[in-house]
């Protein structure tokens, strides 16, 4: 899933694809580089971002959805507003990606249910205004899994079919780097929810944290694409359905390599037991 943020202020690419023509062209470029679908968003979710009004969000998103759909691109719309989801679906979008998992707008779940569209339900503890006060966990993996399960139940109760629900741990949303890493270490627990899993790590703060130099300074967001591709490999190995990324080429190549190596396994290829070669000699 390639990202097209039609915003002046997104965290890693704000302002770059802000007019319709540039945004459509960027979406097509991402498809050429290997994206299977494009996630179009008109509102930044970065901490402290001010919400855009509905009319402005529609103005940003709908022409880009239309433009890409007319080119045959599969579109996901990244929005917390039911009206934007509804208009995007009418314009040909295939999927709704709501970072609030239907919590932000009570009309969202009925709109998605009526349309029969796939719905990304992300783990979310509210808007990130005033710092990361909600990002406190005793056991982040268990809490995120439990809270996601509760959201999935609510979405199903609202009429969305079970086979339309996609889950997402919401990396970086009310989470510190240690929380994001713990979640990536246990993708199996998220997979056990029984729904396709979306992993959206691209260029996020926790990668900056991992890559920080001796002075503690993280590299800028646009220099985190190799790190993002590493997460894409982990996600592919962990059985994720999709990864949401800003720079598609590195991820598409990385995932193809994972697939090729996995395809080269023969049925009797059992991996060696841990430590199996330790006794024979350390080189
Ligand atoms: N993160 C961002 C935006 N949309 N959607 C899903 N499903 N999951 C995410 O983690 C997510 C998202 C913020 O990233 P950006 O502003 O850098 O694109």
């Amino acid at each position: 899933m390639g990202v097209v943020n039609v915003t002046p202020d997104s965290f890693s690419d704000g302002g770059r694809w802000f007019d319709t023509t540039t945004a459509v062209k960027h979406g097509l470029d991402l498809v050429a580089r290997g994206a299977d679908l494009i996630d179009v968003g008109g509102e930044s979710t970065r901490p402290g971002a001010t919400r855009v009004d509905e009319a402005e969000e529609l103005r940003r998103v709908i022409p880009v959805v239309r433009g890409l759909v007319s080119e045959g691109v599969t579109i996901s719309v990244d929005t917390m507003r039911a009206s934007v989801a509804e208009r995007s679906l009418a314009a040909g979008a295939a999927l709704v990606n709501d970072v609030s998992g239907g919590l932000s707008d009570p009309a969202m779940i009925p709109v998605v249910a009526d349309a029969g569209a796939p719905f990304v339900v992300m783990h979310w503890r509210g808007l990130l205004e005033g710092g990361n006060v909600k990002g406190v966990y005793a056991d982040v993996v268990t809490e995120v899994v439990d809270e996601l399960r509760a959201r999935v139940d609510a979405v199903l109760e609202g009429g969305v079919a079970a086979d339309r629900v996609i889950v997402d741990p919401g990396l970086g949303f009310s989470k510190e780097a240690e929380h994001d890493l713990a979640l990536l270490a246990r993708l199996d627990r998220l997979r056990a929810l029984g729904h396709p899993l979306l992993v959206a790590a691209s260029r996020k703060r926790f990668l900056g944290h991992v890559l920080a130099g001796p002075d503690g300074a993280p590299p800028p967001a646009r220099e985190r694409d190799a790190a993002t591709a590493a997460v894409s490999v982990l996600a592919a190995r962990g059985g994720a359905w999709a990864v949401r990324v800003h720079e598609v080429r590195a991820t598409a190549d990385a995932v193809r390599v994972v697939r090729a190596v996995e395809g080269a396994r023969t049925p009797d290829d059992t991996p060696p037991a841990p430590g199996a070669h330790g006794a024979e000699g350390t080189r």
Side-chain angles (χ1 to χ4, degrees), residues 81-82 88 98 102 111 120 122 141 153 165 200 208 230 238 258 278:
R81 282 202 176 93
S88 298
D98 177 0
V111 160
V120 176
M122 197 189 85
V141 176
D153 288 347
V165 173
V258 171

Side-chain angles (χ1 to χ4, degrees), residues 39-81:
D39 192 41
V40 178
E43 179 171 48
S44 170
T45 50
R46 94 188 139 74
T50 44
R51 294 214 60 186
V52 296
D53 67 33
E54 181 183 346
E56 174 64 10
E57 192 183 348
L58 286 164
R59 191 195 67 73
R60 293 178 185 180
V61 167
I62 302 303
V64 178
V65 171
R66 267 202 206 108
L68 286 167
V69 166
S70 74
E71 299 281 346
V73 178
T74 305
I75 295 299
S76 142
V77 60
D78 185 347
T79 184
M80 292 190 278
R81 282 202 176 93

